[in-house]
Every structure is written in structure tokens, then in C-alpha cells.
Amino acid sequence: MSINRPAATALAAALCLLTAACGASSDDKASVDTAEAAASRTGYPVTLDNCGQKETFKKAPSRVVVMNGASVAEVSTLLALGLGDRIVANEQSYGASEVAGRAAAIKKLPTGNVKLNDAYDVPREAMLGLRPDLVLSTTSYGFDEKNGFATRDQLQEVGAHTYVSPQGCDQDTSRMTVADSYRLLRDMGKVFNVSEKAEKLIAASEKNIAAVADKVKGEKKPEVMVLFSNMSMGGNDFSSVVAQGIYNDILAKAGGANVFESASKTSFADLSKEKVAATDVDALVVIAYNDPNPAAYAKKLLKEFPQWPAAKDNAYVTLSDSMYLGPSNDLAVQQIAKVLHPDAF
């Protein structure tokens, strides 16, 4: 009997496929119903398709590593969702924030006492030693073996999930918009079973931005120069001027336009002083990255280019994390709009 049982089982299975006459047993149905009930109750399992890789979470992560990536999007999103206690190592910091208390909260997070590599991020062996169950990276760069990092496959082998933030799959963030900030919030809401909180944050942001849009509707759009303070990324005097990315979406929502949008197809333009001087700039948005006094940089530029309308009107605003991917883009929209359209507020 035991010899023939596999053959009989196979035959029965084949007949079921051919006739569609076999239903699930009552025990099977009960098992499925129990699993569905558990999923409904706990919110798990949750599956995300992230850069072509499926990540299935059976519970909320409790040992999260946030890689640097010259970003604060991921750590700010976790803090906004009340998940700071899940972080065992955070390498993100700007030293400033438009959100009261956020910079201090980031500073207090554990770093894992990791010695960072030449890319100012967590090298492979140190990462594995942290025993993470979730690793967040702004782009796929953070999981590239050539850069000395643990790959997504290597982390999966030790039980760690991985997540690359929106528009980071191909390391090209030039197409990023505010909607990507909302997607990051939604994804983390699902992963940690706090979707209700994520949706409340998104709804509040959308409401704030809609209120600004209503105030500046029909107004002429000033031409704005967006750049990083005291930062060099290329060979010219102005190599940290923004051309593409989420910055342009924020400007548009604030009732403005990027005067150097056509200067490059990538995120940043590398401009000569002559090019900048020959352009009419109506207002400045200076982004601070670990710069304690971005206003001094803005004033220096306005003095250097007195022919700008921005210089004549003293029109500038300094911002930090709200201009990036993250949960606070509405604050950037509000502050920029007040400089571009002061009479509307």
C-alpha cells in the first residue's frame, strides 16, 4: 500500500486539475480562514515590490539601520511615524530641520558606533554585525558590493529586509516629486503597521499645500534659484545649483519656477559665475546641509549680484530637510510661497 500511495496521490491530483471537481477540505478552509483573520487583525504579512525585489514582512521590524545616503528622508519619516525606538543605527543627519525638535531627536539616535567607510556609510562587515532586520537606503548605491556595502541578497541571507526609497532604484532622483515623499510614508506605514498614522500625515500635508495653492492661484511665477550653501560639487563657481528633482515640484506648488531647470537634465547644474550673473533671479532658496548660517551665504550672494531682482527685493529663504524627500515638504511650500508672494499671506 505504501508503495502505491504516491502514485495514487499524483493520479488524484491530476484528476482534480482536469475536472476541477476537487474542493478544499474543511480543515484546509479553516486554515485559510484563520490565516486571513490573523492577517486582518495584525496587518501582516505585508509585501512590497521594491526595485523589482519582493520583500515580505511577517511582523514589524525592530532592528532598523538607516544608511547615510546624504539624506534625512528615511530617518525623518520613521520619527514622524513614531518609530524612533526601532532604530539601532542611524547615519543620517543635517544638523537642522524646519520641524521643531527633529534635529535634536536625530542627534540622540544611536549610531551603532560604526566606523564609516570612505563613502561615509556603513561597510559590509559592520552592517552584518549590527544584526538588522531592516536596512533603509536612499538609493541602490547603499547596497552595491563595489562600494563595500552588504548587498540585498547578503542581507536577506541573514534575515534582514531591505528597502530603497522611491526613485532611488537607478540612483537617479531627477524625476522625484512630493508624491514620492508620500509613497515613502505609505510604505513605512505598511511595513510597521501604522498606515493610519501615515495617511493622517499625508492628508495634513496635502491640505497645507492646497491652502497655499489657493492663495497663489493666478499669480505670476517668480524665477527662483535653488542652491546649497557653501557646497561644491563640480568645477565651476556654482556647482551645487539645483536643476531637476523634488525641488521643482515644491517650487511649483509654492507658485514659483526654477530659473535653471533647463541648465541640466540631472539633479544639479554646474554653472559659471558669468552664467549666473547674466540670469535674472527673482528669489533665492538656499538649502543648508550642516551649515550653521545659510542666511549669511544668501546675503553674500545678493550682495555679489546686485542686478538681480532678488537682491533689490531682498527675496530669499533658507531651508533644510523640508526641501528633500521626506515628510515635511509642505513646510517648504509654505515658507517659499510667503517669500515669492508676500501679499497673498
Side-chain angles (χ1 to χ4, degrees), residues 53 65 67 117 121-130 132 135-137 139-158 160-164:
Q53 180 167 317
V65 174
M67 299 189 75
N117 59 16
D121 223 324
V122 185
R124 181 188 303 106
E125 293 306 317
M127 176 66 77
L128 298 177
L130 289 168
V135 179
L136 303 180
S137 179
T139 71
S140 57
Y141 178 91
F143 299 119
D144 192 331
E145 195 166 24
K146 296 194 300 292
N147 302 322
F149 300 128
T151 66
R152 299 188 78 174
D153 288 341
Q154 288 167 346
L155 286 163
Q156 188 178 51
E157 287 172 6
V158 297
H161 294 285
T162 49
Y163 179 88
V164 176

Side-chain angles (χ1 to χ4, degrees), residues 172-175 241-245 247 258 264-269:
D172 179 9
T173 58
S174 64
R175 298 181 300 275
V241 176
V242 168
Q244 306 292 334
Y247 321 93
N258 185 346
S264 175
K265 291 182 179 179
T266 59
S267 296
F268 296 97

Side-chain angles (χ1 to χ4, degrees), residues 31 62 69 73 86-87 92 99 103 110-111 121 150 156 169 173 179 181 183 199 256 267 280 314 336 340 345:
S31 176
S62 60
R86 310 298 178 91
I87 299 172
Q92 295 184 347
V99 178
T111 63
D121 223 324
Q156 188 178 51
C169 297
T173 58
S181 292
R183 181 180 166 193
E199 292 303 325
S267 296
D280 284 335
N314 196 35
I336 293 171
L340 301 186
F345 292 87

Side-chain angles (χ1 to χ4, degrees), residues 83-128:
L83 300 168
D85 61 337
R86 310 298 178 91
I87 299 172
V88 295
N90 169 59
E91 308 305 336
Q92 295 184 347
S93 174
Y94 279 172
S97 175
E98 276 69 71
V99 178
R102 179 178 288 165
I106 290 174
K107 192 173 182 179
K108 289 179 181 177
L109 291 172
T111 63
N113 296 316
V114 173
K115 182 180 179 181
L116 303 181
N117 59 16
D118 292 340
Y120 299 100
D121 223 324
V122 185
R124 181 188 303 106
E125 293 306 317
M127 176 66 77
L128 298 177

